[in-house]
Amino acid sequence: EVQMVESGGGLVQPGGSLRLSCAVSGFTVSSTCMSWVRQAPGKGLEWVSVICSGDNTYYADSVKGRFTISSDNSKNTLFLQMNSLRPEDTAVYYCAAFYGGFDPWGQGTLVTVSS
Amino acid sequence: EIVLTQSPATLSLSPGERATLSCRASQSVSSSLAWYQQKLGQAPRLLIYDASNRATGIPARFSGSGSGTDFTLTISSLEPEDSALYYCQQRSNWPWTFGQGTKVEIK
């Protein structure tokens, strides 16, 4: 059974850092592209970042230089290191595999950036 | 950045009716377009990929068409459980982008 479980969200002050994790079972993270997508409260979906073949990474302009996506094949886990966080980064963060479309998705983890 | 514009913003129809949702790209995305359904409080679910291919387990009443800049998601006969937000998304150019969504309401 495929499962993707995010963790690491929480409340952080502006300028702070968080590291999100997405533990995957049922397939290997190195077998496809893996991505983060976020959704601010009451808003639409925003693609954040993707990692393909373990080392090709791409980012939305809004997070470039502040966020880093990575994966650990031994733990079969996807990560998102988020630095210099801003209030506008407040959102539910979903991890998702990508096979022509984002599928499957995790349940999401809430990140709140506020003082 | 490719902008995806979805219309209408809200669609209110009765069960059994046909729903037609539009997604227009600011430049050609070839067939690199997907559609998602998101119900309240849930993660999105992939419906259609590469413009017209139904994802695994998606009912046949959902279909996608189009290429280039104009795309359509059709729900042939609405069921009460189809009440949701629907998003299109392109993977033709970086950064990948989503449309702003269409809300489908069932009367």
Side-chain angles (χ1 to χ4, degrees), chain B residues 46-101:
Chain B
L46 176 66
L47 298 175
I48 302 289
Y49 65 95
D50 291 346
S52 60
N53 296 294
R54 257 191 314 276
T56 303
I58 301 303
R61 65 181 182 275
F62 291 93
S63 64
S65 63
S67 66
T69 60
D70 289 303
F71 300 86
T72 301
L73 174 70
T74 301
I75 311 173
S76 60
S77 180
L78 279 166
E79 301 280 349
E81 62 265 30
D82 297 334
S83 179
L85 274 163
Y86 293 82
Y87 295 94
C88 57
Q89 175 256 327
Q90 67 82 22
R91 64 177 177 90
S92 174
N93 281 32
W94 303 105
W96 291 350
T97 49
F98 286 90
Q100 83 281 12

Side-chain angles (χ1 to χ4, degrees), chain A residues 61-79:
Chain A
D61 288 344
S62 58
V63 306
K64 201 174 293 183
R66 299 187 299 124
F67 291 10
T68 302
I69 191 171
S70 63
S71 61
D72 184 329
N73 293 340
S74 66
K75 297 179 180 178
N76 212 31
T77 299
L78 177 72
F79 300 101

Side-chain angles (χ1 to χ4, degrees), chain B residues 25-45:
Chain B
S26 59
Q27 65 187 77
S28 177
V29 299
S30 186
S31 295
S32 301
L33 189 108
W35 290 93
Y36 303 85
Q37 176 193 66
Q38 187 179 31
K39 297 182 180 180
L40 195 62
Q42 297 184 15
R45 177 174 72 146

Side-chain angles (χ1 to χ4, degrees), chain A residues 38-113:
Chain A
R38 68 184 181 183
Q39 187 168 36
K43 301 298 183 181
L45 300 170
E46 180 186 15
W47 171 74
V48 173
S49 182
V50 68
I51 184 168
C52 298
S53 304
D55 54 6
N56 294 311
T57 59
Y58 301 88
Y59 298 91
D61 288 344
S62 58
V63 306
K64 201 174 293 183
R66 299 187 299 124
F67 291 10
T68 302
I69 191 171
S70 63
S71 61
D72 184 329
N73 293 340
S74 66
K75 297 179 180 178
N76 212 31
T77 299
L78 177 72
F79 300 101
L80 186 68
Q81 178 66 44
M82 304 186 297
N83 299 329
S84 303
L85 282 161
R86 305 166 180 168
E88 56 264 34
D89 296 317
T90 294
V92 173
Y93 285 73
Y94 297 99
C95 64
F98 193 84
Y99 296 97
F102 295 112
D103 181 54
W105 297 64
Q107 85 290 349
T109 186
L110 176 63
V111 172
T112 303
V113 185

